[in-house]
Each structure stands twice: as C-alpha cells, then as structure tokens.
Amino acid sequence: MEVTDILYGKKDWSSLFQSTIVMKDGKLYLRIGLPGGSRVINCVANTIIAILDWDMDPQDAI
C-alpha cells in the first residue's frame, strides 16, 4: 500500500469539498460550488481571493 492510496470506504481530499461558504459581517457573502479533482483546493483559494481582494465578478473569478 502506498501513502497516497485511498482506504476502502474513505474519500480522498479532492472529493471532500462540495461547497465553501464565506461570511462577511456575520452574513452570508459568498457560496462557491467546487469541481472535483486534484486542483479543488487551489480553485477555491484562487476564486475567493479574486472575489474578495480583486473585486472580480464571481463569474469572471471562476
């Protein structure tokens, strides 16, 4: 068994993140649905940074 092998009944990291919710001033500000795959964490980070820091439209940020 390799370190990267997935055990029976377990999910890999790329399938654990179904959506991310961002709160601002105690209110729902952003909810992002995510793709599966090995780039899921990078996609989330890049999209949130683009929307919050660069004031991009969500469609453009994706």
Side-chain angles (χ1 to χ4, degrees):
M1 179 178 267
E2 298 291 323
V3 174
T4 57
D5 288 349
I6 301 170
L7 299 174
Y8 178 78
K10 302 290 182 180
K11 292 187 176 195
D12 62 60
W13 279 103
S14 65
S15 63
L16 292 178
F17 301 97
Q18 296 302 318
S19 65
T20 298
I21 297 174
V22 178
M23 304 295 283
K24 186 175 183 180
D25 299 324
K27 297 180 181 178
L28 177 65
Y29 180 73
L30 178 66
R31 181 170 179 238
I32 302 173
L34 308 171
S38 61
R39 297 175 27 147
V40 67
I41 295 171
N42 292 339
C43 288
V44 173
N46 289 338
T47 303
I48 292 173
I49 289 169
I51 293 170
L52 298 180
D53 292 342
W54 302 332
D55 296 320
M56 289 181 76
D57 181 77
Q59 186 65 35
D60 293 333
I62 293 170

